[in-house]
């Protein structure tokens, strides 16, 4: 398993942005703003969330800002891929935003809603675990019972990624904060 404590998220993201494939994609951006004019989150936030700026910061080596300081940050992106479909240069915005999210998670800069849902999947195999009230509603609607999930298999799969460690580290950090 990858030891996340030995990885510097900023340096690691910098390496990813300067590797041939992603660097080539980033370098194609000519700052036209098509992505920002089509992005539903940019529209909803009146431009405060700005995919063009994120690509610009990625291109110019501002990885620390992207991971730590940016507000609104990349977690606002819903990964709908509209920007990528519209980009005249075919910049791989989806992959770039994904790498920033991964680096931010390693830095423990991850919204609580994401860690809560991931924890649910880890513990119960579902983001929304089955409950009597849900089952009753399904029955009333004539739907079959929710399918069961192999939680051990899901834990095993998640254990093969850094996510298990990240969840543990975040839990420890929160405990430490509460104790202070
Ligand atoms: S649409 Fe593509 S080329 Fe235009 S700013 Fe966005 S990423 Fe850059
Ligand atoms: S993928 Fe993210 S940045 Fe691109 S349009 Fe969708 S929400 Fe906006």
């Amino acid at each position: 398993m990858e030891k996340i404590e030995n990885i510097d998220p900023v340096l690691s993201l910098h390496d990813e942005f300067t590797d041939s494939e992603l660097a080539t994609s980033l370098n194609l951006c000519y700052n036209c703003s098509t992505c920002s004019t089509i992005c539903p989150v940019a529209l909803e936030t009146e431009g405060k969330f700005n995919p063009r700026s994120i690509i610009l910061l990625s291109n110019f080596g501002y990885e620390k800002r992207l991971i730590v300081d940016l507000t609104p940050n990349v977690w606002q992106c819903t990964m709908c891929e509209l920007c990528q479909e519209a980009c005249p240069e075919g910049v791989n915005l989806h992959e770039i935003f994904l790498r920033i999210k991964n680096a931010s998670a390693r830095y423990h800069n991850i919204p609580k809603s994401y860690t809560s849902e991931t924890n649910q999947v880890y513990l119960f195999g579902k983001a929304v675990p089955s409950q009597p009230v849900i089952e009753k509603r399904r029955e009333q609607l004539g739907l079959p019972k929710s399918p069961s999930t192999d939680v051990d298999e899901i834990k095993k799969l998640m254990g093969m990624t850094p996510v298990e460690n990240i969840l543990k580290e975040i839990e420890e950090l929160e405990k430490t904060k509460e104790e202070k």
Side-chain angles (χ1 to χ4, degrees):
M1 190 191 299
E2 196 173 11
K3 281 191 148 272
I4 59 172
E5 57 272 23
N6 293 340
I7 295 174
D8 179 328
V10 176
L11 285 181
S12 153
L13 188 62
H14 180 76
D15 286 349
E16 291 183 72
F17 283 169
T18 45
D19 82 8
S20 56
E21 207 181 308
L22 270 186
T24 308
S25 192
L26 276 167
N27 287 334
L28 291 171
C29 174
Y30 64 95
N31 219 7
C32 68
S33 269
T34 303
C35 49
S36 295
T37 53
I38 202 165
C39 168
V41 184
L43 294 174
E44 187 62 29
T45 60
E46 297 179 342
K48 290 189 184 72
F49 174 78
N50 187 329
R52 180 193 61 82
S53 295
I54 293 174
I55 295 300
L56 205 61
L57 292 169
S58 307
N59 231 337
F60 289 158
Y62 286 91
E63 288 86 3
K64 185 163 185 283
R65 182 148 178 228
L66 287 165
I67 294 173
V68 186
D69 305 319
L70 194 67
T71 318
N73 62 22
V74 76
W75 291 102
Q76 304 295 314
C77 168
T78 62
M79 302 307 241
C80 70
E81 297 197 27
L82 276 176
C83 54
Q84 186 156 330
E85 282 172 21
C87 173
E89 287 296 277
V91 174
N92 194 345
L93 291 106
H94 178 267
E95 189 60 34
I96 292 160
F97 295 162
L98 199 61
R99 306 278 179 115
I100 301 170
K101 283 184 178 178
N102 284 344
S104 303
R106 287 196 167 104
Y107 198 83
H108 307 126
N109 187 11
I110 175 167
K112 181 108 179 103
S113 55
Y114 281 76
T115 49
S116 305
E117 276 195 7
T118 311
N119 236 335
Q120 300 274 62
V121 173
Y122 184 75
L123 294 173
F124 306 107
K126 294 176 182 174
V128 182
S130 183
Q131 297 162 25
V133 68
I134 296 177
E135 292 308 320
K136 197 172 171 195
R137 191 80 178 131
R138 290 180 69 91
E139 199 182 330
Q140 284 167 350
L141 293 169
L143 295 169
K145 286 189 173 189
S146 314
S148 60
T149 335
D150 188 339
V151 178
D152 289 340
E153 192 174 345
I154 287 175
K155 279 190 180 166
K156 195 172 165 189
L157 286 169
M158 287 173 87
M160 293 161 78
T161 77
V163 76
E164 196 181 39
N165 279 346
I166 290 172
L167 287 175
K168 280 183 192 153
E169 286 175 5
I170 289 175
E171 198 183 330
E172 279 163 23
L173 282 173
E174 280 172 1
K175 268 191 208 153
T176 316
K177 268 191 220 155
E178 281 167 17
E179 284 163 11
K180 277 185 182 169

